[in-house]
Amino acid sequence: MLASQTTPTLPPARVTAVLRILVLSTFVVLLNETIMVNAIPRLMREFEVTAAAAGWLSTAFMLTMAVVIPVTGWFLQRVTTRTAFGLAMALFLTGTALAAAAPVFPVLLAARVIQASGTAVMMPLLMTTLMTLVPPHDRGRVMGNITLVISVAPALGPAVSGVLLQLGSWRLLFLAVLPIAGAMAVFGLRRLVNIGEPQAGPIDWLSVFLAAAGFGSLVYGLSGLGAENAAEAAVPPAVTTAVGAVLVGLFVWRQLALQRSSTPLLDLRSLTFRHFSVALGLMCLSFMALMGAFILLPLYLQDVCGLSSLQTGLLLIPGGLTMGLLGPQVGKLYDRLGAPRLVVPGAVLTALCLALFTFAGEETSPWLVLALHVALSVGMAFVFTPVFTSGLSVLPPHLYAHGSAILGSLQQVSAAAGTALVISVMSGRAATAAAEGADATGALATGVRWGFGVGAALGVLAVLIALLVRTPPAPPQPAAPEAEDENGTPTDKAAHASG
């Protein structure tokens, strides 16, 4: 959990307020993960950089997330809720302001790294707080609201950037977010309460180095495997990926050793819970398939169907909104029906939609693509909410922060792996089709179909793992201490005094 190993008792209205603050703040920071997609051509012209260099604005964001998230399991247990929130929002606001004023490209790139550092803290903070405050019988409904954040924010990023770029400079992408994030930070620091007490403990700096170098190299290497200039890299992406995998292996070995003698940076005992491990495997495969589809659909709609970037963004909004709006409803169904009755149909629908995308061609109507994307989003909604809820619910409270950190870290690795796999297959098949005489558009369409075929194969594997998902019994909850407000006053006593 967040700072102590016990679950605080707060009035329901205060729990709702705390979670609402964190959900809205997380929505704002996650929106920025994909907001740069449509700005790449304009940034290339303004800063006179190559497409590969400009692409680092997104790659660096994901890379920073992969480096920072593994440390959050240790960090969230050693600071108060308000401190963690304040640091996350301060980093995000600093990065956003610096990006808006960036005079040169390296400054903009550094600003994206600072932004991502704040974002990396917010998601585990939200998940950990939810698991700490919400009783097991109500977690599905509340987790459904978080699904809205996870799915809608990245889906809206390209569309929001498309609209803002139509209105003016690329700096609007940051200037528009800055006052909203600032207001959320001020409001949050005024309303948030501290959950439990921080636990003092040393940090193992070797683990920090192995986590940063391992996860960073792994995500960077995977991201470069499918790049067009992979063969020209000074260090081949395959080598970087292999080095990252070895360092992550050493990180795991170090954590297992620390678990026997002291406090690990990331407690891997979460993986000994079968329900959590199954949910983690299903999440990784589903996220690989989802990110592959996210990469392929804009390429297909713009370069094969001839749509503009703004039209593409608008066409993809309904799917993201569908996934998000279904989240709370799926969460309520989870509380009533459990995980298997939702996850298995959702995984089957996801695999079916990805398989149908393999028939997309140059003459396929964008409206059919829209319908399939919405159906794919429905399937994903029935997978993600139950998987997150059932996976984390089985953990004891002292492992909530570590489980959330493991989940977040593997999400980033899965996103990079899915993207690399799909792009590599697409590029290879497109090159083969071109060599066989297909024109550029036809060759790309062939590559896209093969890319979706990879996604469909991942979807079939996800169906097999979905059959293993169960609704776990809730772990026993220890006695509840008092939660304090920002002045150190116990909230429940204050409530009784005022009543």
Side-chain angles (χ1 to χ4, degrees):
M1 56 177 274
L2 222 138
S4 86
Q5 297 182 14
T6 49
T7 305
T9 300
L10 290 177
R14 202 62 185 271
V15 171
T16 301
V18 168
L19 292 176
R20 186 173 294 160
I21 291 167
L22 292 177
V23 166
L24 292 175
S25 300
T26 305
F27 181 91
V28 172
V29 299
L30 279 180
L31 183 69
N32 281 263
E33 187 168 6
T34 56
I35 205 168
M36 299 301 296
V37 173
N38 288 328
I40 296 299
R42 191 173 298 187
L43 293 168
M44 289 170 59
R45 292 193 300 270
E46 179 157 339
F47 290 115
E48 297 181 350
V49 295
T50 64
W56 264 97
L57 293 172
S58 296
T59 302
F61 198 101
M62 184 170 64
L63 195 61
T64 304
M65 295 268 286
V67 168
V68 174
I69 287 177
V71 185
T72 60
W74 175 88
F75 175 73
L76 291 179
Q77 289 188 316
R78 283 155 181 80
V79 299
T80 63
T81 314
R82 299 179 75 250
T83 299
F85 176 82
L87 177 62
M89 293 306 292
L91 286 170
F92 182 78
L93 286 168
T94 300
T96 303
L98 185 61
V104 292
F105 185 78
V107 174
L108 179 59
L109 187 60
R112 290 288 285 171
V113 170
I114 298 171
Q115 267 192 323
S117 300
T119 304
V121 176
M122 280 303 302
M123 196 64 209
L125 174 63
L126 172 59
M127 300 286 273
T128 304
T129 304
L130 181 152
M131 298 303 299
T132 304
L133 292 181
V134 179
H137 67 271
D138 207 27
R139 284 176 183 162
R141 178 184 61 82
V142 180
M143 188 67 80
N145 292 318
I146 292 181
T147 303
L148 188 149
V149 170
I150 296 172
S151 58
V152 174
L156 283 180
V160 170
S161 66
V163 172
L164 291 175
L165 290 170
Q166 292 288 327
L167 298 176
S169 167
W170 59 268
R171 297 182 190 275
L172 285 176
L173 300 179
F174 303 103
L175 292 173
V177 170
L178 194 59
I180 300 173
M184 291 306 307
V186 172
F187 181 72
L189 288 174
R190 291 179 59 183
R191 297 289 297 170
L192 275 179
V193 296
N194 290 326
I195 310 301
E197 292 293 333
Q199 298 174 346
I203 185 170
D204 181 57
W205 290 106
L206 177 58
S207 294
V208 173
F209 168 76
L210 290 174
F215 284 100
S217 299
L218 189 59
V219 170
Y220 176 67
L222 288 170
S223 300
L225 285 177
E228 293 181 3
N229 59 346
E232 303 171 6
V235 179
V239 173
T240 307
T241 302
V243 170
V246 170
L247 291 174
V248 169
L250 291 174
F251 172 77
V252 170
W253 172 80
R254 179 67 176 171
Q255 303 320 294
L256 294 176
L258 290 174
Q259 285 172 188
R260 294 191 291 268
S261 58
S262 60
T263 304
L265 182 71
L266 189 61
D267 199 325
L268 300 180
R269 279 172 285 209
S270 304
L271 298 174
T272 63
F273 292 82
R274 179 178 177 276
H275 295 297
F276 179 75
S277 297
V278 170
L280 198 63
L282 179 55
M283 183 279 298
C284 287
L285 283 172
S286 299
F287 215 69
M288 286 176 69
L290 179 64
M291 290 307 297
F294 273 2
I295 292 295
L296 290 174
L297 280 171
L299 287 172
Y300 170 73
L301 290 170
Q302 293 180 49
D303 296 338
V304 177
C305 297
L307 274 61
S308 68
S309 58
L310 178 58
Q311 289 172 323
T312 298
L314 294 175
L315 192 69
L316 297 179
I317 284 180
L321 289 177
T322 298
M323 192 188 301
L325 295 175
L326 272 179
Q329 306 307 316
V330 174
K332 293 177 183 177
L333 289 174
Y334 171 85
D335 291 331
R336 289 171 45 202
L337 304 176
R341 296 181 184 179
L342 304 175
V343 171
V344 174
V348 170
L349 179 59
T350 298
L352 178 62
C353 290
L354 290 170
L356 291 175
F357 269 122
T358 62
F359 295 98
E362 299 174 61
E363 304 301 324
T364 303
S365 169
W367 298 110
L368 179 58
V369 175
L370 170 63
L372 274 177
H373 183 237
V374 170
L376 175 66
S377 301
V378 171
M380 288 292 186
F382 274 80
V383 170
F384 283 141
T385 297
V387 163
F388 288 148
T389 309
S390 64
L392 290 173
S393 290
V394 73
L395 299 179
H398 70 278
L399 290 179
Y400 286 161
H402 293 280
S404 298
I406 293 171
L407 192 69
S409 300
L410 291 186
Q411 271 188 338
Q412 298 304 312
V413 174
S414 300
T419 300
L421 182 60
V422 166
I423 292 297
S424 296
V425 170
M426 183 202 72
S427 301
R429 298 308 303 182
T432 301
E436 293 174 351
D439 59 20
T441 302
L444 180 59
T446 299
V448 166
R449 286 194 292 271
W450 275 86
F452 279 119
V454 171
L458 293 171
V460 171
L461 292 176
V463 170
L464 297 178
I465 295 182
L467 296 173
L468 303 176
V469 171
R470 299 290 183 270
T471 304
Q477 299 291 324
E482 296 171 345
E484 298 179 352
D485 62 17
E486 60 268 28
N487 298 315
T489 304
T491 55
D492 53 348
K493 288 184 179 180
H496 286 302
S498 63

